[in-house]
Amino acid sequence: MQDFDRRNLLQEHFGYECVDAGYVPGLMGEEIGDRILLDLGREISWPLSSAEVQAWDEDTLFDMVEYLYDRVSQGDETAGGFHSYSGCGWHYSRFHAKSAQDEYRGRINTIFRRCEIGFQLGQDGVIERTLVPGTEALMKSAPKGIDPHNRTLVEAAISKFRRRGATPTDRRDAIRDLADVLEHYRPSVKAHLLPKDEGAFFEIANKFWIRHNKPDQYKDYDRELWWAWLFYVYLASIALVIRLVERQKALEDPQ
């Protein structure tokens, strides 16, 4: 964060040093460590030291990455002044977050990719699991064309499956929710796919301990791998069914 601090991208929340006025606090107040403790429930010294950061566990690191995302911003030079004495620098009174947050997210994700930890900082500032390469478009296209209720379920399932604190139960529930959405469109599946294919869609979830809890279901398998596969299969299936329905409607009503 030293570069962000040097370029005043932390000034709004963490304040700044002035050669005349001394320390001028930002929105975090004067006792920044106390404020972080209040907000996160973690004892974090400020300014950060390399030794302390290296000692963090994964949860502490992710909490602080998200916390700092919400507290970087770019000063507006039309609402501030440049203090030239002794090279003091800019003192801003208005800030804009987006450009600073975009840069911060880009830097964080570059580091995460190099470390191959399987997570990324999302556009909403929340740590989430990285996507399987090539599935980015699917995440955006799958909820499109769905009625509002089911679209909410699909978007919630994506969030639930990808969030960093997702438990195995959360991930299973996310897949089940996607299967339930596909069940809602089962009449459309029957109309646009072969009967054998239609049955296979639902047999997968029913056999692999997703939608029910029956003695004859398969439970002794690598759930991390198989559930990830099922998640993408159901997302792609929903997207497929919706596109088939839309295509059929277009053929029936060219206008």
Side-chain angles (χ1 to χ4, degrees):
M1 298 302 295
Q2 291 180 348
D3 179 55
F4 277 71
D5 188 25
R6 178 181 57 80
R7 293 162 52 212
N8 299 314
L9 301 183
L10 302 178
Q11 188 179 118
E12 179 182 15
H13 289 269
F14 295 91
Y16 61 91
E17 290 286 345
C18 175
V19 295
D20 290 332
Y23 174 63
V24 178
L27 297 179
M28 295 280 289
E30 295 188 18
E31 300 298 332
I32 294 176
D34 291 346
R35 178 60 185 272
I36 295 175
L37 178 62
L38 180 64
D39 290 341
L40 291 182
R42 298 186 181 278
E43 293 187 1
I44 304 292
S45 299
W46 191 269
L48 299 174
S49 68
S50 297
E52 180 178 15
V53 172
Q54 291 174 5
W56 288 347
D57 59 19
E58 186 176 89
D59 283 338
T60 303
L61 172 64
F62 286 171
D63 280 349
M64 283 300 295
V65 166
E66 292 176 345
Y67 190 76
L68 292 172
Y69 172 87
D70 291 330
R71 287 161 180 80
V72 296
S73 57
Q74 177 69 57
D76 186 340
E77 294 185 2
T78 66
F82 184 76
H83 190 183
S84 61
Y85 180 71
S86 193
C88 191
W90 279 95
H91 300 167
Y92 300 103
S93 59
R94 186 166 62 227
F95 300 83
H96 306 287
K98 188 178 186 308
S99 61
Q101 289 176 333
D102 287 346
E103 180 182 349
Y104 175 83
R105 186 174 65 252
R107 289 198 183 191
I108 289 295
N109 286 336
T110 296
I111 295 171
F112 281 2
R113 283 193 295 271
R114 289 174 180 171
C115 295
E116 298 182 346
I117 61 176
F119 290 91
Q120 66 182 28
L121 183 62
Q123 292 188 355
D124 56 356
V126 175
I127 300 291
E128 58 191 11
R129 293 173 183 266
T130 54
L131 296 170
V132 172
T135 61
E136 293 84 355
L138 176 61
M139 294 300 110
K140 297 178 181 178
S141 66
K144 292 182 178 179
I146 305 176
D147 64 274
H149 172 71
N150 284 296
R151 178 170 186 160
T152 298
L153 290 177
V154 171
E155 291 173 342
I158 292 172
S159 177
K160 184 186 297 185
F161 193 86
R162 296 187 64 195
R163 69 188 181 203
R164 64 172 166 116
T167 65
T169 299
D170 292 332
R171 290 162 71 78
R172 177 185 174 225
D173 287 348
I175 300 167
R176 183 198 61 203
D177 292 343
L178 293 179
D180 288 346
V181 170
L182 194 61
E183 180 75 47
H184 174 82
Y185 289 99
R186 191 161 190 162
S188 297
V189 174
K190 290 181 178 180
H192 296 285
L193 298 177
L194 296 175
K196 181 175 63 175
D197 297 328
E198 176 256 327
F201 272 122
F202 302 95
E203 184 177 0
I204 293 173
N206 292 336
K207 288 293 185 181
F208 282 84
W209 190 49
I210 299 297
R211 302 185 67 212
H212 306 291
N213 187 22
K214 297 179 179 179
D216 63 342
Q217 288 179 316
Y218 305 128
K219 297 181 180 179
D220 187 17
Y221 59 89
D222 190 329
R223 294 171 189 170
E224 183 70 19
L225 292 175
W226 281 92
W227 285 359
W229 175 74
L230 286 170
F231 173 75
Y232 289 107
V233 163
Y234 275 106
L235 267 184
S237 300
I238 291 169
L240 171 63
V241 169
I242 296 302
R243 299 296 91 77
L244 288 173
V245 171
E246 290 177 343
R247 186 177 67 179
Q248 185 61 35
K249 288 181 178 178
L251 292 175
E252 295 172 354
D253 184 13
Q255 297 182 351

